[in-house]
Structures are given as structure tokens and as C-alpha cells.
Amino acid sequence: MIGLGTLIRIVPPWILGVAVTLLGHWGEKRWFAEPGRSTRAGHFWNNISFILITNLVFLAIIPTLVLDFIQPMIPFTGARAGLAVAMAGYVFGLVPARLADASRTGWDHAFWLLLVDFLRLGGALTLIGWLLTS
């Protein structure tokens, strides 16, 4: 059975991740929907369950388990530890992937996705780090 303390650590980063994902899809549809240009936002409502589940797993459950395990080993605590892990994942994972895809989607679209990714990952992991120490 999941306790209240576990839910308090998992639900807020999940809600933040979903909210930033919705913001990202809204901005993508508003600013990058041009004829002949591929965007992820076109079939957004068909994938809402996929978005909810992936945000739960990858922005709430797994980071909570990882930060709970490695936080004593890194020189930061709390929100700083979460932000440090988020920056490592962002710089070594998301930035190279988005920049490699920029030739297909366009640089403006790639930078929008980088901003959304940073807000989503940085916000969720900073919140998790803070919740683990409070």
C-alpha cells in the first residue's frame, strides 16, 4: 500500500511535469504549426494517457527513487541536489538529442523544445529534491 508520504513526494512533480508538457504542446501548436512542418502537437489529445503515464514514471517515480538513493553521495542536499541531477540529465541527454534533431525540425522549434525540456526536468527534479529533505 502506498503511504501518504510517498504520494506527497510523487504527485507534485507529476502535476508539474504534466502542466509544463501541456504548456509546451500549446506553444508548439500556436507558434510552430505551419503547413508542411511536422510538430508533435497535432495529435496531442490522442496521446493524453501516454503523456500522463510517461510523466508519472520518468518525472516522478524514477527520479524520486534515484534521488533518494544517491542524494547522500552527492555534495548537495535538497533542491540543489535535484537541480544538479536534472542539469546532468539535461546537458548529457536532452541537449544532444534535440540538437541532432534540429536539422529536421528547425532551430526555432529545437530551442522551444529545449526550453520546455529544461522547465519540465529541472522543475520536477528540483521539486523532488526539496520534497525529499522536507
Side-chain angles (χ1 to χ4, degrees):
M1 179 141 174
I2 297 176
L4 182 62
T6 305
L7 284 177
I8 289 174
R9 290 182 180 155
I10 290 176
V11 172
W14 179 48
I15 291 172
L16 177 78
V18 170
V20 173
T21 302
L22 293 174
L23 174 73
H25 281 287
W26 173 81
E28 187 175 1
K29 186 176 180 182
R30 180 172 171 92
W31 291 310
F32 300 108
E34 297 174 8
R37 191 173 201 176
S38 69
T39 62
R40 301 174 305 147
H43 46 29
F44 170 71
W45 293 110
N46 296 336
N47 296 329
I48 191 72
S49 60
F50 179 73
I51 290 169
L52 291 173
I53 291 169
T54 56
N55 277 317
L56 176 65
V57 171
F58 293 110
L59 292 178
I61 295 173
I62 292 174
T64 300
L65 294 173
V66 168
L67 269 175
D68 195 26
F69 179 71
I70 70 166
Q71 192 166 7
M73 294 183 269
I74 57 179
F76 306 114
T77 58
R80 289 182 185 175
L83 187 58
V85 172
M87 289 301 297
Y90 180 75
V91 169
F92 295 117
L94 292 170
V95 171
R98 294 294 186 202
L99 294 181
D101 199 33
S103 63
R104 186 181 62 83
T105 61
W107 286 101
D108 54 347
H109 193 223
F111 284 126
W112 172 255
L113 293 176
L114 280 170
L115 174 66
V116 171
D117 288 340
F118 178 71
L119 292 175
R120 184 174 32 225
L121 187 65
L125 267 71
T126 302
L127 188 57
I128 289 170
W130 177 71
L131 288 170
L132 285 175
T133 57
S134 60

